[in-house]
């Protein structure tokens, strides 16, 4: 079983719609959860971080964490063509020197 | 805030050359820095974890004599690819995080290395 699993996609949404990305993780000791965006040929960029159960909103992005279900999600509201990228879910534990365990990524395409 | 600068962004050099890549945290103290390698359309592969003032911890299968890592200060880590060969051509990315719990890794812009 992979440590972090994401819907591989690709996920195609029309401009203005909500893109919903899901991620599950296997290690109950995971403590910090992150969503990174990576454009083709570029390095990852931090979009959201979440540590406590519930929702966290930042602009058009909302991250949701449910530790009991070992589930973290990212919602992108009012999707724009510039949101087209690969979204990486990542989790860390302090005992692992805070190494990131990445999901395989979900490729999102926003259709104009 | 949380800016990580990586230099150079692109290197093209002949086989046998050693190449040094710098990673700097510009506005925070990076107690831990990480070095990744990424092939086209593949996931990031962690090469090593570097704590300031300590020897780097390499992932299984990564040659420590080939990829020399130095983390001499809280704002600078370097990766030297020694005697580079065409198979070392790749996209190398560093990241840095501060000491406090729950701090994310912030990534540099990456270095595209091409060995001829």
């Amino acid at each position: 079983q992979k440590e972090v699993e994401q819907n591989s996609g690709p996920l195609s949404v029309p401009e203005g719609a909500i893109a919903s990305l899901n991620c599950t993780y296997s290690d109950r000791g995971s403590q910090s959860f992150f969503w990174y965006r990576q454009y083709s040929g570029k390095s990852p960029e931090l979009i959201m971080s979440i540590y406590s159960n519930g929702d966290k909103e930042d602009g058009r992005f909302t991250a949701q964490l449910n530790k009991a279900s070992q589930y973290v999600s990212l919602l992108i509201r009012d999707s724009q063509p510039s949101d087209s990228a690969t979204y990486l879910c990542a989790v860390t534990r302090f005992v692992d020197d805070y190494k990131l365990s990445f999901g395989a990524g979900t490729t999102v395409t926003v259709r104009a | 805030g949380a800016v990580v600068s990586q230099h150079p962004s692109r290197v093209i050099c002949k086989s046998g050359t050693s190449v040094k890549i710098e990673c700097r945290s510009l506005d925070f103290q990076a107690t831990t820095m990480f070095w990744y390698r990424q092939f086209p359309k593949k996931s990031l592969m962690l090469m090593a974890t570097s704590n300031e003032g300590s020897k780097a911890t390499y992932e299984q299968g990564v040659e420590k004599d080939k990829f020399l890592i130095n983390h001499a200060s809280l704002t600078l880590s370097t990766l030297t690819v020694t005697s580079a060969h065409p198979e070392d051509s790749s996209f190398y990315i560093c990241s840095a995080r501060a000491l406090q719990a729950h701090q994310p890794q912030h990534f540099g812009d990456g270095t595209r290395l091409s060995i001829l």
Side-chain angles (χ1 to χ4, degrees), chain A residues 32 36 38 41 43 51 99, chain B residues 38 51 59 102 105 108 112:
Chain A
S32 306
Y36 288 88
Q38 187 174 24
S43 65
Y51 323 117
K99 289 192 286 189
Chain B
Q38 187 174 35
N51 287 298
E59 295 298 303
H102 299 308
Q105 289 183 29
R112 197 161 300 281

Side-chain angles (χ1 to χ4, degrees), chain A residues 24-41:
Chain A
T24 58
Y25 58 95
S26 61
D27 188 346
R28 287 195 172 275
S30 299
Q31 296 166 301
S32 306
F33 307 86
F34 308 98
W35 284 99
Y36 288 88
R37 176 175 65 195
Q38 187 174 24
Y39 293 113
S40 181

